[in-house]
Amino acid sequence: MEGMQAYGAGKAGGAFDPVTFLQQPQTILRIVSWLFSIVIFGCIANEGYINRPNEVEEYCIFNRNQNACNYGVFMGSMAFLCCVAFLALDVYFPQISSVKDRKKAVLADIGISAFWSFMWFVGFCFLANQWQVTKQEDNPLREGGDAARAAITFSFFSIFTWAGQSFLAFQRYKLGADSALFSHEYTDPSQDAAGAPYTSFGGDDLESPGGGGGQTNSDGPFDGSGGYQRQDY
């Protein structure tokens, strides 16, 4: 994997090293984002719905706005799945032989990570605003306050973890491909050797054992003068 690389990974076919994979910056950020999404989803799903003592139906802790809780749960669950998908792509990425496919994967990483960073910014602003205007009489027992603040906090942190993933993907895109090692459609050299056409040997290029060069073929009729002469003993 050392030396020339294409979009941050070496030539296809190398062995997978889990230690090196876990030490990569994009892997660390994806795992952190994955954990943040679990915290946000769990906080809202478990403690994000409360009710007054004289009520039976539960409402969202964020200003009794169901859209706020639905947004947080949806974003947390989808971010969880997206992190898992990107981790799987990172594992498979070094095995992608085509530089064009690698470029598409890196561009998708840039766009999707930037999109998630923006969506978490929107979610942070939305949840923080709804929490700020929440009335105390809606939650007289102060239930779920820590969970709500945790969801807001980790939404804020998620902005930077996803932005960092987009930045690292952009750095990989700038690296591009090394044309000395990769072609646009890289194929296994063993397959090229197996599929090479067979070339027959021509008699014109062969030299005689005496070192005097080969005898050229003549288009004229054979007169027997240049052939083998019988020796009488």
Side-chain angles (χ1 to χ4, degrees), residues 18-125:
V19 177
T20 303
F21 173 75
L22 293 175
Q23 292 177 348
Q24 293 177 351
Q26 69 267 19
T27 303
I28 296 175
L29 284 178
R30 295 198 202 285
I31 294 176
V32 172
S33 299
W34 177 70
L35 293 175
F36 286 174
S37 65
I38 294 177
V39 172
I40 296 170
F41 173 83
C43 288
I44 298 178
N46 293 330
E47 301 184 41
Y49 296 90
I50 59 174
N51 58 350
R52 296 174 181 174
N54 58 346
E55 294 179 340
V56 177
E57 184 178 359
E58 293 183 340
Y59 294 91
C60 179
I61 194 173
F62 295 99
N63 196 30
R64 301 171 72 90
N65 187 349
Q66 297 296 113
N67 292 329
C69 287
N70 292 338
Y71 186 91
V73 170
F74 175 78
M75 291 290 293
S77 58
M78 293 303 297
F80 172 85
L81 296 176
C82 190
C83 288
V84 173
F86 270 121
L87 285 172
L89 178 61
D90 290 341
V91 173
Y92 178 71
F93 187 83
Q95 305 302 323
I96 300 177
S97 59
S98 174
V99 175
K100 291 182 179 180
D101 292 339
R102 289 191 178 192
K103 181 179 179 180
K104 293 177 182 178
V106 173
L107 289 175
D109 192 359
I110 296 173
I112 295 176
S113 298
F115 171 79
W116 274 108
S117 180
F118 172 76
M119 294 301 293
W120 279 123
F121 173 76
V122 174
F124 165 73
C125 294

Side-chain angles (χ1 to χ4, degrees), residues 147-169:
R149 285 186 288 268
I152 295 173
T153 301
F154 285 102
S155 296
F156 177 76
F157 291 156
S158 295
I159 299 173
F160 300 99
T161 57
W162 284 99
Q165 294 180 54
S166 181
F167 174 77
L168 291 177

